[in-house]
PDB file of all heavy atoms in Angstrom:
ATOM      1  N   ASP A  54      -3.094  17.775 -16.720  1.00 93.00           N
ATOM      2  CA  ASP A  54      -2.369  18.406 -17.828  1.00 93.00           C
ATOM      3  C   ASP A  54      -1.333  19.421 -17.350  1.00 93.00           C
ATOM      4  O   ASP A  54      -0.739  20.122 -18.171  1.00 93.00           O
ATOM      5  CB  ASP A  54      -3.355  19.093 -18.780  1.00 93.00           C
ATOM      6  CG  ASP A  54      -4.094  20.250 -18.123  1.00 93.00           C
ATOM      7  OD1 ASP A  54      -3.877  20.527 -16.923  1.00 93.00           O
ATOM      8  OD2 ASP A  54      -4.912  20.898 -18.817  1.00 93.00           O
ATOM      9  N   GLY A  55      -1.127  19.476 -16.023  1.00 92.00           N
ATOM     10  CA  GLY A  55      -0.122  20.377 -15.471  1.00 92.00           C
ATOM     11  C   GLY A  55      -0.660  21.742 -15.077  1.00 92.00           C
ATOM     12  O   GLY A  55       0.070  22.547 -14.474  1.00 92.00           O
ATOM     13  N   THR A  56      -1.911  22.026 -15.382  1.00 93.00           N
ATOM     14  CA  THR A  56      -2.509  23.299 -14.998  1.00 93.00           C
ATOM     15  C   THR A  56      -2.606  23.385 -13.482  1.00 93.00           C
ATOM     16  O   THR A  56      -3.002  22.430 -12.830  1.00 93.00           O
ATOM     17  CB  THR A  56      -3.919  23.444 -15.598  1.00 93.00           C
ATOM     18  OG1 THR A  56      -3.840  23.334 -17.015  1.00 93.00           O
ATOM     19  CG2 THR A  56      -4.539  24.780 -15.222  1.00 93.00           C
ATOM     20  N   ILE A  57      -2.253  24.561 -12.954  1.00 92.00           N
ATOM     21  CA  ILE A  57      -2.333  24.786 -11.520  1.00 92.00           C
ATOM     22  C   ILE A  57      -3.613  25.521 -11.180  1.00 92.00           C
ATOM     23  O   ILE A  57      -3.964  26.515 -11.835  1.00 92.00           O
ATOM     24  CB  ILE A  57      -1.107  25.573 -11.033  1.00 92.00           C
ATOM     25  CG1 ILE A  57       0.138  24.683 -11.111  1.00 92.00           C
ATOM     26  CG2 ILE A  57      -1.308  26.086  -9.613  1.00 92.00           C
ATOM     27  CD1 ILE A  57       1.426  25.366 -10.758  1.00 92.00           C
ATOM     28  N   SER A  58      -4.314  25.038 -10.168  1.00 90.00           N
ATOM     29  CA  SER A  58      -5.552  25.657  -9.726  1.00 90.00           C
ATOM     30  C   SER A  58      -5.455  25.911  -8.229  1.00 90.00           C
ATOM     31  O   SER A  58      -5.442  24.973  -7.434  1.00 90.00           O
ATOM     32  CB  SER A  58      -6.737  24.745 -10.035  1.00 90.00           C
ATOM     33  OG  SER A  58      -7.944  25.296  -9.572  1.00 90.00           O
ATOM     34  N   ASP A  59      -5.336  27.172  -7.856  1.00 85.00           N
ATOM     35  CA  ASP A  59      -5.247  27.547  -6.448  1.00 85.00           C
ATOM     36  C   ASP A  59      -6.606  28.032  -5.970  1.00 85.00           C
ATOM     37  O   ASP A  59      -7.105  29.040  -6.448  1.00 85.00           O
ATOM     38  CB  ASP A  59      -4.214  28.660  -6.240  1.00 85.00           C
ATOM     39  CG  ASP A  59      -2.794  28.173  -6.453  1.00 85.00           C
ATOM     40  OD1 ASP A  59      -2.518  27.024  -6.078  1.00 85.00           O
ATOM     41  OD2 ASP A  59      -1.976  28.938  -6.985  1.00 85.00           O
ATOM     42  N   MET A  60      -7.225  27.313  -5.025  1.00 81.00           N
ATOM     43  CA  MET A  60      -8.500  27.730  -4.452  1.00 81.00           C
ATOM     44  C   MET A  60      -8.291  28.873  -3.454  1.00 81.00           C
ATOM     45  O   MET A  60      -9.198  29.635  -3.161  1.00 81.00           O
ATOM     46  CB  MET A  60      -9.169  26.569  -3.717  1.00 81.00           C
ATOM     47  CG  MET A  60      -9.172  25.259  -4.460  1.00 81.00           C
ATOM     48  SD  MET A  60      -9.876  25.371  -6.118  1.00 81.00           S
ATOM     49  CE  MET A  60      -9.295  23.853  -6.838  1.00 81.00           C
ATOM     50  N   GLU A  61      -7.085  28.956  -2.947  1.00 76.00           N
ATOM     51  CA  GLU A  61      -6.739  29.949  -1.946  1.00 76.00           C
ATOM     52  C   GLU A  61      -5.693  30.868  -2.550  1.00 76.00           C
ATOM     53  O   GLU A  61      -4.630  30.405  -2.967  1.00 76.00           O
ATOM     54  CB  GLU A  61      -6.194  29.236  -0.701  1.00 76.00           C
ATOM     55  CG  GLU A  61      -5.638  30.134   0.364  1.00 76.00           C
ATOM     56  CD  GLU A  61      -6.688  31.007   0.989  1.00 76.00           C
ATOM     57  OE1 GLU A  61      -7.667  30.490   1.547  1.00 76.00           O
ATOM     58  OE2 GLU A  61      -6.542  32.249   0.885  1.00 76.00           O
ATOM     59  N   GLY A  62      -5.965  32.151  -2.619  1.00 86.00           N
ATOM     60  CA  GLY A  62      -5.070  33.083  -3.295  1.00 86.00           C
ATOM     61  C   GLY A  62      -3.701  33.194  -2.681  1.00 86.00           C
ATOM     62  O   GLY A  62      -2.746  33.584  -3.349  1.00 86.00           O
TER      63      GLY A  62
END
Side-chain angles (χ1 to χ4, degrees):
D54 65 359
T56 302
I57 290 176
S58 178
D59 290 323
M60 314 306 164
E61 173 66 59

